[in-house]
Amino acid sequence: MSKPLLHLKSIKKVFTTEEVETHALADVHLDIHEGEFVSISGPSGCGKSTLLAILGLLDAPSGGEYWLNGKQVAQLTLAQRARIRNREIGFIFQNFNLIGDLTVFENVELPLVYRGLPAGERRQRVLDSLELVGMSHRAGHLPSQLSGGQQQRVAVARAVGGRPSILLADEPTGNLDSTNGDAVMDLLKDLHRRGSTICMVTHDTRFARHAQRSIQLFDGRVVEEAAGEHTA
Amino acid sequence: MSSFTLDLKHALRGLSRTPGFTFLAVLSLALGIGVNSAVFTILNSVLLRPLPVREPSRLVRVYAGSRESFSVPAFRTLAREQASVDLAAESLKPLNWTRGEQSQRVTGSIVSGGYFPVLGVQPFMGRLLGPEDDRVPGGHPVAVLSHRFWTRKLEADPSILGRALTLNGHTFTVVGVAAPTFHGDFLGMVPEIWVPLSMQAQAFPQEKRDLLESHATSWLEVLGRLHPGVGRAQAQQTLQALEAGVFQRKLDPDEGHIEVEAMGGLPRAIQSGMGVILPALQAVVLLVLLIACSNVANLQLARAMARRQEVAVRIALGGSRAQLVRQFLTESAVLALLGAGAGLALGALALRAVPSLIPPVGPDLFFDLGMDGRVVSFAVLLSLATGLLFGLAPALQSTRPDVMKTLKEESAGATSRRGLTRRLFVVAQVALSMVLLVASGLFLRSLAKAKDIDPGFERSNMVLFNVDPGTMGYGRDRNAALFEAIRHRAASLPGVRSVALAQMVPLEGGRMETTYQIQGQEVPKGTQEPETGLNKVGLAYFQTLGIPLLSGREFAEGDQPGAPRVAVVNATFAQKVLGGEALGRRLVLDKEVVEIVGVARDVKSGSLGEPAAPMLFRPLAQVPATSLTVHVATTGDPTPFLALMRGIVRDVDPYLPVNELRTMKQHFRLALFPARTGALLLGIFGFLALTLATTGIYGVMAFDSTQRRREIGIRMALGAQIREVVGLIVAQGMRVVCLGLAIGLALAWGLARLLSSLLYGIAATDAFTFAAITALLGGVALLACLIPALRAAQSEPMLALRSE
């Protein structure tokens, strides 16, 4: 098998308050290969969000190794993490997290601005991404003028616009009704078919089954790993 | 579009979408920047702005040691016998300008031929005075007008060149008008007409000595332009080397040596005073700015809390902290620039009120209080510096959120750290406001006390005016006859109770002094003769001014030059100098023996705040003076008599101007000018501070209450009463306020002592003021806490719980 795109080895995360040590993650091993669609699920408090934060370089592990695209990224400075996050990772959130003051176009453009791409290239990529999610006709609208499903499609466009190595989706259907939820899942499956690597956190088994591989977390440990129904 | 342009675009859009925040932040900054710009404009005009002339950095003032001024021969010698600095001389003198049948006093300046060339001033029209106008004594009856005089008093007459002006009864030909930007080289006292030094005898006929030749009379201010490559120290050395020849006699060691100083807009004595007052005032308004900035910082912290989710998204998308801080600081810079613009406009508006602060009586003062590039730069830099400085803390704090937590939640409670920062800002605001409010309270109390101070003389029904016949060449006898005629005519008016003449008016600000000896008591060798205040007064002076005589009599018709010399002393003189037994005692004044014939009650002669000091009165008949003030006591309202006084003087001599015509009440207001101005300025600053601090406290409490809606909902769901919830929020707010009050009290207690010399009738640590200000600030703060607390406590618990 090829070298994994993302490799976690003995990852630990301990939160320490004045009196208590909480082990959020303990000895997590995980490989995600390029083009894979992996779902992570588990009960509330099992460490899903902590794992996603570490995968997304929003937090650093207390111990262990984290290799992304062949580079050790477990202990980097804030600025280094921001740079890698911008280039390698695309986020899709449960509550969309679009910026209300920015138009759809500007929301999708934002990570490309942070990357320092020239205006012309940014524009082309934004238009391509919006086209991909079927939202190019709403480029000038504000998020408040869109439905929940439309907002999540814009969030997907924002995540893919930077052509990241991996998409991290955190309960992407959690704030949507079933119709819009299905539509977003179809969109993710479509992206996967086009070659995107996706790691999705969800507690909805219905959607978890769409992934190629499903990982179960419990008390900060990977307790089960199984093949899903979806195939590329 | 560059990142900066995008930041700017987003900042402008974000600010326009939150108009309430933007308005409050810009208003706070504008108030702070406004008062700072206004005060800095004054400081700039008085201390910093160079004269609008060629190469002002090379201009110097030359002082003759402690005497400061030079005689004409001394100046001429200095100017002629060295090659380090081109020297010029001037002296400001009032001139009587006669136009038709009316005369008025104008500010004249007599200048050497080198004055305009040395300064490098350009004419607006015609020519300026030059060396060719300063050769033959009495041979150059020419005058240059200030642009202000030409426009205000001659209606900008375009045919003024070559026309004749009657000054002090002599005809001068107008040869030019100075550039509009040139207002003389002394700030405030703006010459209206310049005449050559060679015309001294014609311009100042009251001077009996030939001032052009006299070594004994030093009356010229000297200024100069350093030659290229010559420094001030070198020029000073060169001039000092000429001292022996210049002064005709060896300088007294106490008189010092010739000094060369950089050109300032103010006379040296005033410059040093203003050099303290204006920076102190600037420091006070910087306090206002600090309070305003605390407001802005708190507003930004609150806004950052509201935007924490947006910040978390930006971080998740790969925005570096530097990029996010830059975004925040761009917003701060935009706010700062908006604040600077609005502040400059407010400052300009405030400066319009400055002329109304200048007392309506006294010399015509003019200050060019225009905002130049330096003021604009000051305002922009100050607002950028404060805006960025106070924007930095919110920017740094809000760009390190708990990203995952924030991203997953719709809203979250305020973290304790941010709450602490906001509370610290409130503590600082309250403390600084306390300092300013105590200062303004002390001045207001002092002003109220000053109004109640009994000056010791009649201040209600009286008219005053000055007449200076010496400027029209009156001799001693004509002078006496003139004043007697004026006195007689005024006294015969119905409604006039009494009329008296005097050289000095009480509370005029200045003070005449004389040395004296008690007859029979030798002054020990090595000690100086004692000094006392002096006024030369006419008949019925004490009666007219309502000053009671404690013993003896006032001056009578018989106190003529040939009669025994007499004097009246005040109670303090009688008590302190003569041990209470004054009548019949003899003093030696100027080698004359003078008998004390009366003791009058003490009056405030110099200022309202002064302690009682020895004072001596001499009769005008025995010690004449040329320039006198006529005191007219009326039986009722003196206002209608103001117009009549001009008529009386015109009847006696149509060419004599009536100067400084006012009622005693107006004159008294002049004496209150420092107290009134101090109270007004500090009152404004204190009010600003109070308003800003109140909004600051209200803002923090309102924001906290909103953030705690859920907690409040839970408490109320568990059965808490409204008063308990209100009490909880108010108590937390007031703990912060009380800390600020305590720090403010300590600071104010320490700093108030610096004001003690400016206060009348109260101590700098006046307990009433401190208590009242504490109650005022505490009360307003309590209201600012109470309103948001009540609003929060009255919301429906379930709505509050669901809002999360």
Side-chain angles (χ1 to χ4, degrees):
Chain A
M1 203 169 188
S2 64
K3 206 171 177 184
L5 172 69
L6 189 152
H7 172 64
L8 299 186
K9 185 178 172 189
S10 302
I11 286 292
K12 285 192 293 186
K13 181 66 185 177
V14 181
F15 293 107
T16 310
T17 59
E18 284 173 10
E19 294 169 358
V20 187
E21 268 195 357
T22 307
H23 292 261
L25 293 175
D27 201 28
V28 172
H29 295 266
L30 176 66
D31 282 348
I32 298 177
H33 289 84
E34 197 171 330
E36 260 196 307
F37 189 164
V38 177
S39 78
I40 300 172
S41 49
S44 183
C46 68
K48 296 192 298 286
S49 294
T50 308
L51 180 58
L52 198 74
I54 288 171
L55 290 178
L57 298 179
L58 292 172
D59 204 351
S62 309
E65 294 176 11
Y66 175 15
W67 296 80
L68 177 63
N69 246 344
K71 190 176 176 187
Q72 166 69 282
V73 293
Q75 303 297 334
L76 297 177
T77 64
L78 283 175
Q80 287 169 326
R81 282 196 286 178
R83 197 163 45 247
I84 293 174
R85 193 162 54 239
N86 180 263
R87 282 167 171 70
E88 305 283 356
I89 296 164
F91 274 105
I92 302 164
F93 303 104
Q94 177 178 355
N95 51 10
F96 330 131
N97 280 329
L98 298 177
I99 294 175
D101 279 348
L102 305 185
T103 62
V104 163
F105 184 97
E106 288 164 341
N107 265 290
V108 178
E109 186 188 28
L110 194 58
L112 308 178
V113 172
Y114 288 140
R115 195 181 293 187
L117 290 184
E121 191 178 345
R122 288 202 309 260
R123 180 177 168 73
Q124 193 53 53
R125 285 207 193 187
V126 171
L127 293 177
D128 289 348
S129 304
L130 287 175
E131 185 68 38
L132 187 68
V133 302
M135 288 298 292
S136 48
H137 62 297
R138 298 288 188 133
H141 286 64
L142 290 170
S144 57
Q145 296 169 309
L146 306 178
S147 70
Q150 287 175 320
Q151 286 191 46
Q152 193 60 302
R153 278 155 68 190
V154 174
V156 171
R158 182 176 64 184
V160 300
R163 294 172 193 161
S165 302
I166 186 165
L167 289 175
L168 298 181
D170 186 7
E171 305 274 11
T173 57
N175 273 14
L176 299 173
D177 58 36
S178 59
T179 312
N180 277 310
D182 288 342
V184 167
M185 271 319 297
D186 288 344
L187 182 58
L188 289 179
K189 282 193 287 186
D190 186 42
L191 288 172
H192 177 233
R193 268 195 298 277
R194 290 166 186 257
S196 294
T197 311
I198 300 173
C199 175
M200 177 177 71
V201 166
T202 181
H203 62 264
D204 190 328
T205 49
R206 194 163 55 95
F207 292 126
R209 280 201 300 274
H210 287 290
Q212 285 173 306
R213 188 153 57 100
S214 182
I215 293 165
Q216 282 286 325
L217 278 184
F218 189 77
D219 279 352
R221 293 171 188 276
V222 176
V223 292
E224 188 184 332
E225 216 175 321
E229 295 173 353
H230 173 73
T231 51
Chain B
M1 210 179 278
S2 70
S3 307
F4 171 72
T5 320
L6 276 175
D7 281 346
L8 188 62
K9 183 178 149 193
H10 291 168
L12 287 171
R13 191 189 297 167
L15 292 174
S16 68
R17 292 225 173 110
T18 48
F21 161 82
T22 308
F23 174 75
L24 278 179
V26 170
L27 181 68
S28 295
L29 276 173
L31 290 173
I33 296 293
V35 288
N36 273 277
S37 304
V39 171
F40 184 75
T41 303
I42 298 171
L43 190 140
N44 179 41
S45 303
V46 174
L47 296 177
L48 304 177
R49 185 159 56 198
L51 286 177
V53 297
R54 173 172 51 89
E55 291 184 84
S57 59
R58 281 173 48 209
L59 291 176
V60 292
R61 287 200 192 279
V62 182
Y63 297 104
S66 59
R67 280 181 303 176
E68 301 201 348
S69 46
F70 290 83
S71 68
V72 177
F75 158 68
R76 299 261 194 236
T77 309
L78 275 184
R80 194 176 51 240
E81 295 189 4
Q82 51 78 37
S84 296
V85 52
D86 291 331
L87 295 179
E90 65 180 318
S91 181
L92 289 174
K93 298 277 181 193
L95 295 170
N96 285 345
W97 171 45
T98 307
R99 194 185 198 190
E101 289 202 345
Q102 288 207 331
S103 289
Q104 59 178 290
R105 183 182 279 198
V106 297
T107 307
S109 179
I110 189 162
V111 296
S112 68
Y115 180 76
F116 287 109
V118 162
L119 284 174
V121 180
Q122 295 300 312
F124 175 73
M125 58 194 260
R127 68 172 180 86
L128 302 174
L129 301 176
E132 68 279 7
D133 298 308
D134 191 20
R135 294 210 169 103
V136 184
H140 310 282
V142 290
V144 167
L145 311 179
S146 76
H147 190 273
R148 191 162 182 261
F149 177 80
W150 176 62
T151 50
R152 281 164 53 107
K153 295 189 177 164
L154 292 168
E155 297 80 40
D157 179 0
S159 61
I160 192 66
L161 296 183
R163 299 266 292 274
L165 284 186
T166 307
L167 302 172
N168 289 355
H170 290 269
T171 301
F172 286 76
T173 304
V174 177
V175 294
V177 175
T181 52
F182 184 66
H183 303 291
D185 57 291
F186 281 117
L187 196 85
M189 299 289 290
V190 182
E192 296 173 284
I193 298 173
W194 287 275
V195 295
L197 185 56
S198 58
M199 300 301 290
Q200 175 270 321
Q202 290 71 31
F204 308 115
Q206 68 271 37
E207 272 298 339
K208 294 304 163 210
R209 286 165 292 188
D210 182 356
L211 292 184
L212 296 182
E213 297 300 328
S214 169
H215 283 272
T217 312
S218 302
W219 61 289
L220 290 177
E221 314 295 332
V222 172
L223 54 96
R225 177 176 288 279
L226 297 172
H227 285 187
V230 176
R232 270 193 289 136
Q234 188 186 341
Q236 182 167 291
Q237 261 186 343
T238 310
L239 295 176
Q240 285 179 351
L242 299 169
E243 276 175 359
V246 166
F247 293 118
Q248 300 283 301
R249 63 186 175 85
K250 205 167 177 230
L251 275 177
D252 187 313
D254 290 341
E255 290 186 15
H257 294 276
I258 289 178
E259 291 169 32
V260 176
E261 293 185 3
M263 175 79 98
L266 291 172
R268 186 154 60 167
I270 302 175
Q271 180 115 18
S272 58
M274 295 303 260
V276 174
I277 291 171
L278 286 175
L281 196 57
Q282 190 76 64
V284 168
V285 291
L286 275 173
L287 284 187
V288 177
L289 182 62
L290 281 179
I291 297 170
C293 286
S294 300
N295 250 11
V296 177
N298 258 339
L299 284 166
Q300 286 187 323
L301 277 172
R303 183 170 147 87
M305 282 295 291
R307 291 173 63 187
R308 65 195 186 283
Q309 199 167 9
E310 175 199 326
V311 171
V313 172
R314 287 175 182 271
I315 289 172
L317 295 178
S320 69
R321 195 162 181 221
Q323 285 170 317
L324 295 179
V325 168
R326 195 185 66 197
Q327 167 72 45
F328 270 77
L329 291 184
T330 305
E331 277 189 17
S332 293
V334 171
L335 277 179
L337 289 174
L338 289 172
L344 279 168
L346 280 180
L349 216 58
L351 285 171
R352 282 195 191 176
V354 169
S356 65
L357 291 177
I358 297 172
V361 290
D364 180 22
L365 298 176
F366 170 73
F367 295 90
D368 182 9
L369 295 177
M371 287 182 166
D372 57 13
R374 186 185 280 129
V375 176
V376 174
S377 307
F378 168 80
V380 171
L381 287 177
L382 188 65
S383 27
L384 278 177
T386 50
L388 294 181
L389 187 67
F390 283 83
L392 195 60
L396 290 176
Q397 276 207 4
S398 44
T399 50
R400 52 173 183 214
D402 185 344
V403 179
M404 278 313 286
K405 184 181 172 194
T406 310
L407 289 173
K408 287 187 77 70
E409 291 174 0
E410 287 295 336
S411 65
T415 65
S416 59
R417 187 182 171 83
R418 280 176 194 146
L420 179 67
T421 313
R422 284 202 308 278
R423 280 166 178 70
L424 284 178
F425 277 126
V426 169
V427 169
Q429 275 188 316
V430 173
L432 294 176
S433 305
M434 185 80 188
V435 173
L436 279 176
L437 283 169
V438 164
S440 66
L442 286 172
F443 266 79
L444 284 170
R445 288 256 296 154
S446 165
L447 181 63
K449 291 268 184 191
K451 283 177 179 165
D452 295 338
I453 291 175
D454 177 10
F457 57 84
E458 168 65 43
R459 64 182 193 193
S460 300
N461 299 328
M462 189 170 298
V463 170
L464 305 167
F465 61 94
N466 167 275
V467 179
D468 188 3
T471 55
M472 299 297 280
Y474 273 60
R476 180 173 174 160
D477 292 340
R478 267 184 81 200
N479 218 33
L482 173 104
F483 277 114
E484 186 50 36
I486 292 172
R487 195 174 76 84
H488 182 73
R489 282 166 188 259
S492 62
L493 288 172
V496 170
R497 181 173 59 79
S498 178
V499 180
L501 305 169
Q503 194 174 20
M504 299 289 292
V505 182
L507 301 179
E508 203 166 18
R511 178 176 161 92
M512 278 202 308
E513 291 188 332
T514 182
T515 55
Y516 67 90
Q517 277 184 45
I518 301 168
Q519 193 183 32
Q521 291 182 11
E522 289 294 312
V523 176
K525 280 194 175 174
T527 58
Q528 289 191 326
E529 288 185 337
E531 285 186 341
T532 175
L534 171 72
N535 196 1
K536 299 175 183 179
V537 304
L539 298 173
Y541 174 78
F542 297 96
Q543 176 201 331
T544 305
L545 273 89
I547 304 170
L549 281 167
L550 303 176
S551 61
R553 63 171 176 90
E554 69 171 298
F555 301 123
E557 296 278 2
D559 296 323
Q560 291 300 315
R565 303 285 159 154
V566 291
V568 172
V569 295
N570 71 349
T572 301
F573 192 108
Q575 199 62 43
K576 283 192 175 169
V577 179
L578 303 169
E581 294 296 323
L583 283 187
R585 300 282 294 274
R586 287 185 164 79
L587 305 173
V588 180
L589 300 167
D590 245 354
K591 297 176 184 165
E592 284 185 344
V593 176
V594 176
E595 182 185 339
I596 296 169
V597 296
V599 178
R601 205 180 81 173
D602 287 337
V603 299
K604 299 281 183 190
S605 55
S607 73
L608 282 169
E610 71 181 12
M615 185 80 191
L616 189 123
F617 300 89
R618 302 289 315 276
L620 278 168
Q622 294 183 343
V623 278
T626 56
S627 171
L628 295 177
T629 296
V630 185
H631 299 63
V632 182
T634 59
T635 51
D637 179 13
T639 318
F641 291 87
L642 287 170
L644 298 176
M645 295 304 126
R646 288 193 191 280
I648 284 176
V649 176
R650 196 164 48 237
D651 287 349
V652 178
D653 183 340
Y655 300 109
L656 260 185
V658 172
N659 307 316
E660 296 163 25
L661 178 62
R662 74 276 197 197
T663 64
M664 185 59 103
K665 271 190 179 169
Q666 288 171 326
H667 178 74
F668 197 73
R669 275 209 287 276
L670 185 66
L672 286 175
F673 175 66
R676 191 186 300 276
T677 308
L680 177 72
L681 290 178
L682 282 169
I684 291 171
F685 301 152
F687 176 74
L688 279 180
L690 182 66
T691 311
L692 288 168
T694 309
T695 12
I697 297 164
Y698 176 82
V700 168
M701 293 311 296
F703 183 75
D704 273 7
S705 304
T706 313
Q707 292 291 306
R708 295 174 66 184
R709 270 179 312 182
R710 189 156 185 268
E711 176 203 328
I712 293 166
I714 294 169
R715 284 176 184 274
M716 296 191 72
L718 294 175
Q721 298 293 317
I722 287 181
R723 66 171 186 281
E724 287 162 334
V725 173
V726 170
L728 176 82
I729 297 173
V730 169
Q732 285 182 352
M734 286 309 286
R735 269 203 292 275
V736 177
V737 170
C738 286
L739 181 61
L741 287 176
I743 294 172
L745 270 175
L747 280 175
W749 192 269
L751 293 174
R753 289 159 202 275
L754 302 176
L755 301 176
S756 53
S757 64
L758 302 170
L759 301 174
Y760 303 119
I762 58 163
T765 50
D766 179 48
F768 176 82
T769 306
F770 275 76
I773 296 299
T774 308
L776 173 72
L777 194 49
V780 171
L782 181 64
L783 268 182
C785 293
L786 197 58
I787 294 169
L790 277 171
R791 193 180 297 155
Q794 282 168 349
S795 60
E796 285 292 327
M798 278 316 292
L799 284 179
L801 290 170
R802 279 182 192 147
S803 74
E804 291 294 304

